[in-house]
Amino acid sequence: RRAAFYSDNPVGGFPADPSALSTMSDPPPPWSDSKVQSEFRLDYQPIVSLVDGKISAFEALVRWLHPQRGMISPVEFIPLAEETGLITSLGWWILREACCQLRAWQESFPQAIPVTMVVNLSAIQLMQLRVKEQIQLILHETGVDSRYLKLEITESGLMENVDATIELLEQLKALGIQLSIDDFGTGYSSLGRLHYLPVDTLKIDQSFIRRTTFEEESWEIVQTIITLAHNLNMTVVAEGVETPEQLARLKYLGCDYGQGYLFAKPLSSANATTLLMTNPQW
Ligand code: C2E
Ligand code: MG
Ligand code: MG
Ligand code: MG
């Protein structure tokens, strides 16, 4: 299946060094700006406050609409982009696009309570040189206030390289950016180190929430993560909320935010804009 990804690449394989992209000319390489702009787009899924039922944030989720193969899931192509190093150029495009969308919303709805834009960052992206400068540049160019940007890093990605990452995270926090640990509970965190991480939010992996439907004991895990987050002065988001029963229980357990199909699936920019306009309350 890997070969299928390479087959339409005119240069015969993803270049390992993304800077090589700039030296290639006609026909365009797979992750050139024009390709990214024509085949990739972002969907936006709301994150809802379980206290007042209002939209608190949107998470940007990348989609690849391949001209021949149709929609390809990020679960398939993000690992490939990470292996080849191309996550760097794709990842900065994603951040810029999400910030542009946030700015557009802020301009269209100046009276609304400001929402936060949540953007997933790959651990590979964090290992690049001048990450902080790149993020600062994108914030500056798009006119987004750092307070309304939240970067999400998976627990496994974070823990792989915790000492190197911690300093960078401190720098990002100093800029005013919010930080969140994604897929929490699946990545074997060193619990002893969790409180050193300058992180605002833990996001409970959706597998735990899903399991609660057929395994009552899974609520114990969810409850423990909620308590852990609060003891560390972090907020907590439940991912993959699909049923009213799950929502009721999460509220009862004091979970701060929820995200999932019960509220909304990831939406196109236009549909997310419509949703914002209706100012829903769940
Ligand atoms: P994630 O960041 O944990 O995103 C949550 C995933 O769960 C999304 O899948 C979302 O559509 C899905 N989801 C949300 N609510 C529900 C629900 O109620 N039920 C079910 N069954 N699923 C739900 P998606 O969009 O396919 O993304 C999958 C993963 O791909 C993401 O997991 C993230 O790790 C990665 N990804 C997506 N976009 C980006 C990106 O822009 N950059 C990076 N580095 N990774 C991304
Ligand atoms: Mg995420
Ligand atoms: Mg997640
Ligand atoms: Mg996930």
Side-chain angles (χ1 to χ4, degrees):
R1 197 171 48 75
R2 179 67 48 77
F5 281 95
Y6 293 111
S7 65
D8 63 346
N9 179 352
V11 296
F14 288 89
D17 173 11
S19 68
L21 286 174
S22 58
T23 62
M24 287 176 199
S25 50
D26 192 43
W31 246 277
S32 66
D33 279 353
S34 64
K35 182 169 179 95
V36 162
Q37 276 160 27
S38 61
E39 293 181 21
F40 289 83
R41 63 179 175 79
L42 299 184
D43 278 354
Y44 301 93
Q45 189 181 31
I47 297 172
V48 175
S49 162
L50 300 189
V51 176
D52 65 9
K54 298 280 193 176
I55 295 176
S56 154
F58 277 94
E59 179 173 9
L61 294 159
V62 67
R63 270 85 185 92
W64 185 5
L65 190 58
H66 191 283
Q68 279 86 44
R69 292 183 199 100
M71 194 71 87
I72 301 176
S73 162
V75 179
E76 291 187 57
F77 70 82
I78 291 287
L80 195 66
E82 287 178 333
E83 269 174 50
T84 55
L86 283 154
I87 190 67
T88 313
S89 41
L90 180 62
W92 296 133
W93 176 83
I94 291 166
L95 181 61
R96 188 179 302 269
E97 182 71 12
C99 286
C100 282
Q101 177 66 76
L102 180 60
R103 190 75 196 108
W105 281 337
Q106 288 172 341
E107 275 165 14
S108 312
F109 312 110
Q111 262 81 274
I113 300 162
V115 296
T116 292
M117 183 61 80
V118 179
V119 179
N120 294 281
L121 274 199
S122 159
I124 308 287
Q125 251 177 300
L126 292 182
M127 296 188 304
Q128 297 295 305
L129 293 172
R130 304 178 64 76
V131 173
K132 188 191 85 178
E133 288 77 6
Q134 182 68 29
I135 294 171
Q136 262 181 309
L137 179 71
I138 292 172
L139 286 172
H140 180 75
E141 285 176 359
T142 56
V144 162
D145 185 325
S146 58
R147 279 177 298 168
Y148 303 117
L149 175 64
K150 188 165 194 165
L151 298 176
E152 210 160 86
I153 305 149
T154 63
E155 184 191 25
S156 48
L158 199 62
M159 290 298 160
E160 240 166 66
N161 213 339
V162 73
D163 293 316
T165 312
I166 216 162
E167 197 183 316
L168 174 64
L169 297 185
E170 298 279 5
Q171 291 175 354
L172 296 178
K173 273 306 320 163
L175 292 181
I177 295 168
Q178 305 173 62
L179 300 170
S180 169
I181 304 185
D182 206 353
D183 301 346
F184 188 78
T186 60
Y188 307 102
S189 265
S190 154
L191 288 180
R193 275 169 140 164
L194 211 48
H195 73 279
Y196 293 119
L197 294 176
V199 162
D200 305 276
T201 304
L202 292 187
K203 207 167 185 182
I204 308 173
D205 190 69
Q206 51 180 286
S207 60
F208 296 106
I209 311 299
R210 186 173 316 126
R211 229 172 280 155
T212 60
T213 341
F214 51 89
E215 195 183 272
E216 171 67 22
E217 306 80 61
S218 290
W219 282 114
E220 301 290 346
I221 305 288
V222 173
Q223 176 161 25
T224 301
I225 299 177
I226 293 170
T227 305
L228 175 67
H230 288 162
N231 286 347
L232 294 167
N233 284 319
M234 296 175 186
T235 59
V236 60
V237 182
E239 197 180 74
V241 182
E242 293 188 353
T243 70
E245 292 74 25
Q246 289 168 342
L247 173 60
R249 188 74 167 258
L250 286 163
K251 279 187 186 170
Y252 172 76
L253 294 176
C255 184
D256 305 294
Y257 302 94
Q259 178 180 16
Y261 295 172
L262 178 67
F263 307 109
K265 291 195 168 181
L267 305 167
S268 68
S269 162
N271 288 341
T273 305
T274 307
L275 185 71
L276 259 183
M277 263 161 47
T278 65
N279 188 20
Q281 184 169 28
W282 281 277

